[in-house]
mmCIF file of all heavy atoms in Angstrom:
data_model
loop_
_atom_site.group_PDB
_atom_site.id
_atom_site.type_symbol
_atom_site.label_atom_id
_atom_site.label_comp_id
_atom_site.label_asym_id
_atom_site.label_seq_id
_atom_site.Cartn_x
_atom_site.Cartn_y
_atom_site.Cartn_z
ATOM 1 N N ASN A 1096 -39.408 28.410 -69.371
ATOM 2 C CA ASN A 1096 -40.751 28.800 -68.939
ATOM 3 C C ASN A 1096 -41.048 30.257 -69.261
ATOM 4 O O ASN A 1096 -42.213 30.630 -69.424
ATOM 5 C CB ASN A 1096 -40.925 28.539 -67.442
ATOM 6 C CG ASN A 1096 -41.410 27.120 -67.159
ATOM 7 O OD1 ASN A 1096 -42.225 26.582 -67.892
ATOM 8 N ND2 ASN A 1096 -40.890 26.509 -66.114
ATOM 9 N N SER A 1097 -40.027 31.078 -69.368
ATOM 10 C CA SER A 1097 -40.232 32.457 -69.808
ATOM 11 C C SER A 1097 -40.699 32.466 -71.264
ATOM 12 O O SER A 1097 -41.548 33.283 -71.654
ATOM 13 C CB SER A 1097 -38.930 33.256 -69.658
ATOM 14 O OG SER A 1097 -39.102 34.582 -70.103
ATOM 15 N N ALA A 1098 -40.172 31.543 -72.067
ATOM 16 C CA ALA A 1098 -40.629 31.414 -73.449
ATOM 17 C C ALA A 1098 -42.086 30.947 -73.496
ATOM 18 O O ALA A 1098 -42.880 31.431 -74.307
ATOM 19 C CB ALA A 1098 -39.731 30.429 -74.207
ATOM 20 N N VAL A 1099 -42.450 30.022 -72.603
ATOM 21 C CA VAL A 1099 -43.848 29.568 -72.518
ATOM 22 C C VAL A 1099 -44.754 30.745 -72.194
ATOM 23 O O VAL A 1099 -45.824 30.929 -72.801
ATOM 24 C CB VAL A 1099 -43.992 28.463 -71.448
ATOM 25 C CG1 VAL A 1099 -45.466 28.129 -71.223
ATOM 26 C CG2 VAL A 1099 -43.234 27.215 -71.860
ATOM 27 N N LYS A 1100 -44.332 31.567 -71.253
ATOM 28 C CA LYS A 1100 -45.127 32.734 -70.861
ATOM 29 C C LYS A 1100 -45.315 33.690 -72.045
ATOM 30 O O LYS A 1100 -46.410 34.227 -72.267
ATOM 31 C CB LYS A 1100 -44.432 33.451 -69.710
ATOM 32 C CG LYS A 1100 -45.154 34.688 -69.216
ATOM 33 C CD LYS A 1100 -44.378 35.311 -68.066
ATOM 34 C CE LYS A 1100 -45.047 36.595 -67.590
ATOM 35 N NZ LYS A 1100 -44.289 37.222 -66.488
ATOM 36 N N SER A 1101 -44.262 33.906 -72.821
ATOM 37 C CA SER A 1101 -44.349 34.808 -73.969
ATOM 38 C C SER A 1101 -45.254 34.246 -75.056
ATOM 39 O O SER A 1101 -46.026 34.981 -75.690
ATOM 40 C CB SER A 1101 -42.945 35.062 -74.526
ATOM 41 O OG SER A 1101 -42.122 35.710 -73.572
ATOM 42 N N ILE A 1102 -45.180 32.941 -75.289
ATOM 43 C CA ILE A 1102 -46.053 32.310 -76.276
ATOM 44 C C ILE A 1102 -47.517 32.439 -75.844
ATOM 45 O O ILE A 1102 -48.393 32.758 -76.655
ATOM 46 C CB ILE A 1102 -45.663 30.834 -76.476
ATOM 47 C CG1 ILE A 1102 -44.273 30.738 -77.137
ATOM 48 C CG2 ILE A 1102 -46.700 30.104 -77.330
ATOM 49 C CD1 ILE A 1102 -43.714 29.334 -77.182
ATOM 50 N N ASN A 1103 -47.782 32.212 -74.567
ATOM 51 C CA ASN A 1103 -49.146 32.380 -74.056
ATOM 52 C C ASN A 1103 -49.625 33.819 -74.211
ATOM 53 O O ASN A 1103 -50.799 34.074 -74.498
ATOM 54 C CB ASN A 1103 -49.211 31.967 -72.584
ATOM 55 C CG ASN A 1103 -49.191 30.461 -72.407
ATOM 56 O OD1 ASN A 1103 -49.527 29.715 -73.316
ATOM 57 N ND2 ASN A 1103 -48.797 30.009 -71.234
ATOM 58 N N MET A 1104 -48.717 34.754 -74.034
ATOM 59 C CA MET A 1104 -49.067 36.159 -74.196
ATOM 60 C C MET A 1104 -49.502 36.431 -75.634
ATOM 61 O O MET A 1104 -50.497 37.129 -75.884
ATOM 62 C CB MET A 1104 -47.850 37.028 -73.827
ATOM 63 C CG MET A 1104 -48.118 38.521 -73.783
ATOM 64 S SD MET A 1104 -46.599 39.440 -73.405
ATOM 65 C CE MET A 1104 -46.178 38.752 -71.814
ATOM 66 N N ALA A 1105 -48.739 35.879 -76.602
ATOM 67 C CA ALA A 1105 -49.078 36.073 -78.008
ATOM 68 C C ALA A 1105 -50.408 35.392 -78.357
ATOM 69 O O ALA A 1105 -51.248 35.952 -79.069
ATOM 70 C CB ALA A 1105 -47.949 35.534 -78.895
ATOM 71 N N ILE A 1106 -50.615 34.182 -77.833
ATOM 72 C CA ILE A 1106 -51.852 33.453 -78.113
ATOM 73 C C ILE A 1106 -53.058 34.187 -77.540
ATOM 74 O O ILE A 1106 -54.102 34.340 -78.199
ATOM 75 C CB ILE A 1106 -51.769 32.019 -77.555
ATOM 76 C CG1 ILE A 1106 -50.780 31.188 -78.388
ATOM 77 C CG2 ILE A 1106 -53.138 31.344 -77.547
ATOM 78 C CD1 ILE A 1106 -50.514 29.819 -77.842
ATOM 79 N N THR A 1107 -52.934 34.668 -76.311
ATOM 80 C CA THR A 1107 -54.042 35.383 -75.680
ATOM 81 C C THR A 1107 -54.386 36.648 -76.457
ATOM 82 O O THR A 1107 -55.559 36.937 -76.725
ATOM 83 C CB THR A 1107 -53.672 35.742 -74.230
ATOM 84 O OG1 THR A 1107 -53.389 34.548 -73.498
ATOM 85 C CG2 THR A 1107 -54.821 36.483 -73.544
ATOM 86 N N GLY A 1108 -53.348 37.419 -76.817
ATOM 87 C CA GLY A 1108 -53.596 38.635 -77.584
ATOM 88 C C GLY A 1108 -54.213 38.349 -78.939
ATOM 89 O O GLY A 1108 -55.121 39.061 -79.385
ATOM 90 N N LYS A 1109 -53.735 37.296 -79.605
ATOM 91 C CA LYS A 1109 -54.230 36.961 -80.935
ATOM 92 C C LYS A 1109 -55.699 36.548 -80.906
ATOM 93 O O LYS A 1109 -56.529 37.089 -81.652
ATOM 94 C CB LYS A 1109 -53.384 35.828 -81.526
ATOM 95 C CG LYS A 1109 -53.913 35.285 -82.846
ATOM 96 C CD LYS A 1109 -53.015 34.190 -83.390
ATOM 97 C CE LYS A 1109 -53.561 33.634 -84.705
ATOM 98 N NZ LYS A 1109 -52.665 32.628 -85.301
ATOM 99 N N TYR A 1110 -56.035 35.589 -80.040
ATOM 100 C CA TYR A 1110 -57.393 35.043 -80.080
ATOM 101 C C TYR A 1110 -58.402 35.945 -79.369
ATOM 102 O O TYR A 1110 -59.601 35.795 -79.578
ATOM 103 C CB TYR A 1110 -57.390 33.623 -79.519
ATOM 104 C CG TYR A 1110 -56.822 32.659 -80.528
ATOM 105 C CD1 TYR A 1110 -55.469 32.320 -80.522
ATOM 106 C CD2 TYR A 1110 -57.615 32.152 -81.552
ATOM 107 C CE1 TYR A 1110 -54.929 31.475 -81.476
ATOM 108 C CE2 TYR A 1110 -57.090 31.296 -82.511
ATOM 109 C CZ TYR A 1110 -55.746 30.964 -82.471
ATOM 110 O OH TYR A 1110 -55.224 30.148 -83.441
ATOM 111 N N LYS A 1111 -57.931 36.857 -78.551
ATOM 112 C CA LYS A 1111 -58.857 37.838 -77.997
ATOM 113 C C LYS A 1111 -59.359 38.752 -79.122
ATOM 114 O O LYS A 1111 -60.514 39.174 -79.127
ATOM 115 C CB LYS A 1111 -58.176 38.658 -76.902
ATOM 116 C CG LYS A 1111 -59.153 39.498 -76.100
ATOM 117 C CD LYS A 1111 -58.473 40.092 -74.903
ATOM 118 C CE LYS A 1111 -59.426 40.948 -74.081
ATOM 119 N NZ LYS A 1111 -60.498 40.158 -73.465
ATOM 120 N N ILE A 1112 -58.484 39.055 -80.059
ATOM 121 C CA ILE A 1112 -58.894 39.827 -81.241
ATOM 122 C C ILE A 1112 -59.703 38.948 -82.192
ATOM 123 O O ILE A 1112 -60.763 39.336 -82.687
ATOM 124 C CB ILE A 1112 -57.661 40.389 -81.973
ATOM 125 C CG1 ILE A 1112 -56.922 41.394 -81.092
ATOM 126 C CG2 ILE A 1112 -58.055 41.038 -83.294
ATOM 127 C CD1 ILE A 1112 -55.604 41.882 -81.681
#
Side-chain angles (χ1 to χ4, degrees):
N1096 272 322
S1097 179
V1099 172
K1100 180 180 177 181
S1101 297
I1102 293 171
N1103 284 338
M1104 187 182 300
I1106 289 174
T1107 301
K1109 173 179 179 176
Y1110 284 93
K1111 191 170 180 66
I1112 295 174

